């Protein structure tokens, strides 16, 4: 019973922190997260908990963009923050976690899958950035990208992180802890909002 209560408390705290962080970008925009963050997995606080914190923030930003209309300043500001957040997070996660996980044959496939989905999300976000936010089709495309991203992080949290954690050494954990926060800050600062229409094959 205690673990269920503790998990629920962590999820509530995570949701509140994610919303508060996202609200700094556009204070007047609603952040209707619903039941998210739904993950029960918080992981080792040294690395996995930190990654899930970012996911919580991304969930809040996605919800807030969906609450905006047209090409408003809030939508533009929130979308730019979301792109820079996801790009910085993905690059740092690849350097800190997936590069290590890829070396173990038991978890190589998970690492490759996660990195592949990061590249796919880059393309979807670049396509959105190149399109007119004021048109109705934009929000439909954005919602599709949101659904893809939520699927991706759900898979990481419920399957890939758990599998990886079983195979990481104490040295790996120290490396992950040292690298992620440093790389996240640098990668986010350097991230750009690329614009490239994605042509259908």
């Amino acid at each position: 019973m205690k673990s269920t209560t503790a998990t629920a408390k962590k999820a509530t705290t995570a949701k509140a922190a994610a919303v508060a962080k996202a609200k700094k970008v556009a204070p007047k925009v609603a952040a209707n997260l619903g039941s998210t963050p739904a993950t029960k997995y918080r992981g080792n606080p040294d690395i996995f908990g930190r990654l899930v914190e970012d996911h919580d923030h991304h969930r809040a930003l996605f919800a807030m963009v969906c609450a905006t209309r047209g090409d408003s300043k809030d939508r533009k500001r929130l979308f730019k923050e979301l792109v820079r957040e996801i790009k910085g997070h993905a690059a740092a996660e690849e350097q800190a976690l997936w590069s290590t996980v890829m070396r173990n044959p038991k978890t190589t496939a998970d690492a490759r899958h996660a990195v592949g989905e990061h590249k796919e999300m880059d393309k979807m976000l670049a396509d959105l950035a190149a399109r007119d936010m004021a048109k109705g089709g934009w929000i439909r495309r954005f919602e599709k990208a949101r659904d893809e991203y939520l699927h991706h992080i759900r898979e990481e949290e419920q399957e890939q992180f758990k599998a990886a954690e079983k195979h990481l050494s104490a040295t790996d954990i120290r490396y992950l802890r040292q690298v992620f926060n440093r790389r996240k800050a640098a990668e986010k600062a350097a991230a750009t909002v690329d614009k490239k229409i994605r042509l259908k094959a």
Side-chain angles (χ1 to χ4, degrees), residues 36 78 86 125 133 149 181:
T36 60
L78 285 161
I86 288 178
L125 293 172
M133 287 183 174
Y149 188 75
N181 284 328

Side-chain angles (χ1 to χ4, degrees), residues 133-163:
M133 287 183 174
K135 292 190 176 173
W138 190 89
I139 197 65
R140 286 192 296 277
R141 287 174 187 274
F142 181 80
E143 287 169 348
K144 183 178 178 185
R146 175 202 62 196
D147 293 347
E148 290 286 331
Y149 188 75
L150 294 179
H151 168 79
H152 165 70
I153 60 177
R154 192 177 309 117
E155 201 170 45
E156 283 189 333
E157 293 165 357
Q158 295 177 6
E159 299 170 27
Q160 295 164 347
F161 290 171
K162 289 180 180 181

Side-chain angles (χ1 to χ4, degrees), residues 37-107:
T39 184
K40 293 180 180 179
Y41 178 77
R42 305 315 292 182
N44 181 323
D46 282 336
I47 182 62
F48 294 103
R50 176 66 187 84
L51 297 176
V52 176
E53 283 175 23
D54 268 12
H55 291 174
D56 292 338
H57 184 213
H58 302 163
R59 289 178 180 102
L61 288 169
F62 269 110
M64 290 175 74
V65 171
C66 287
T68 61
R69 294 190 180 277
D71 59 353
S72 65
K73 288 181 181 177
D74 283 337
R75 178 174 282 183
K76 289 176 180 174
R77 195 166 32 244
L78 285 161
F79 180 72
K80 182 178 179 182
E81 175 65 9
L82 178 66
V83 171
R84 293 178 67 243
E85 258 295 315
I86 288 178
K87 285 177 115 175
H89 171 89
E93 186 180 86
E94 288 169 19
Q95 292 169 47
L97 174 64
W98 297 124
S99 64
T100 301
V101 172
M102 205 170 282
R103 291 196 297 266
N104 186 329
K106 293 178 181 176
T107 51

Side-chain angles (χ1 to χ4, degrees), residues 9-10 80 117:
K9 188 173 181 179
K10 279 184 181 180
K80 182 178 179 182
E117 289 191 342

